[in-house]
Amino acid sequence: MGQSPRVWNEFEWTPVEGSLTQDEIGFRIQSHGFRGLTVFFMLISFGFSFAGLTIFFASMSTTGLGGEIFAIPFLVGGAVNFVLFLFMLKGTTTFNMNRQGITLSRSLFGVTKSKTRLVSDLQSIESMVVYRMNKQPRHGVGLKFNNAKPLKFGVTLSSVEQNWMISEMSQFLQR
């Protein structure tokens, strides 16, 4: 934040890139790639889109807007799942923490969405449930804050990588 661009170091045992200086710690998580969960979102996206377009075009021959309106949730669901598919295929997540603030950014094709919190509001850094799939929790790195939603990321990383990141952030704050 305000410093010159840093050189990211890639550690040999993980795809996570990291940077540590006296005043700042940062991590960059590259895209998930074309693996099982990415393929799942791609297939769901195409399925919703196909169903929505089929309903839309089939209802055009009838009178009224009933069928066209019924197709909207399918088309929206297909679009949302397509964005998730693209993020898992090509997106990056960047985490930066300095003595004053914490920033979590997600980027896809040059479009970045960031969330910023104050370090003074930080309650804890721990492994946290990010979402559930088939009633099974999926854990990631979580930061809890006073009076703000937690920041969660790194669900695609192994538990060893998540614990390493949690440990590095905790040690940074204790310096």
Side-chain angles (χ1 to χ4, degrees):
M1 303 209 173
Q3 293 181 352
S4 62
R6 83 184 92 224
V7 175
W8 290 83
N9 298 319
E10 187 169 348
F11 299 100
E12 294 177 10
W13 57 276
T14 179
V16 176
E17 298 172 344
S19 172
L20 177 63
T21 65
Q22 187 65 26
D23 299 326
E24 189 172 41
I25 186 171
F27 298 101
R28 184 179 350 189
I29 303 169
Q30 296 298 331
S31 63
H32 187 66
F34 203 71
R35 292 191 257 171
L37 194 57
T38 309
V39 173
F40 171 77
F41 280 114
M42 178 188 71
L43 293 175
I44 293 297
S45 168
F46 292 150
F48 271 110
S49 299
F50 179 76
L53 290 172
T54 302
I55 293 168
F56 180 79
F57 288 120
S59 65
M60 287 179 61
S61 62
T62 62
T63 59
L65 289 175
E68 288 88 350
I69 292 173
F70 183 70
I72 291 173
F74 289 97
L75 295 173
V76 170
V80 167
N81 280 292
F82 188 69
V83 170
L84 288 171
F85 159 69
L86 286 177
F87 181 76
M88 293 184 79
L89 189 64
K90 294 291 181 183
T92 60
T93 301
T94 306
F95 173 86
N96 288 311
M97 178 191 305
N98 61 27
R99 302 292 177 200
Q100 294 81 33
I102 299 169
T103 303
L104 180 65
S105 303
R106 291 183 169 93
S107 300
L108 179 63
F109 301 128
V111 177
T112 303
K113 183 174 179 176
S114 298
K115 296 178 183 177
T116 303
R117 306 280 192 272
L118 295 174
V119 172
S120 59
D121 291 338
L122 182 64
Q123 285 181 338
S124 65
I125 304 171
E126 59 192 49
S127 179
M128 196 178 288
V129 175
V130 177
Y131 65 90
R132 294 183 184 279
M133 180 181 281
N134 297 330
K135 298 183 181 179
Q136 298 296 316
R138 303 291 185 206
H139 291 86
V141 177
L143 290 88
K144 288 185 181 179
F145 296 91
N146 297 324
N147 304 322
K149 289 184 177 182
L151 296 178
K152 302 174 190 177
F153 64 98
V155 72
T156 59
L157 302 175
S158 70
S159 61
V160 172
E161 292 166 322
Q162 292 172 6
N163 291 333
W164 166 70
M165 291 174 75
I166 291 168
S167 173
E168 289 291 325
M169 287 186 262
S170 298
Q171 288 177 14
F172 174 78
L173 290 174
Q174 292 174 359
R175 288 188 206 161

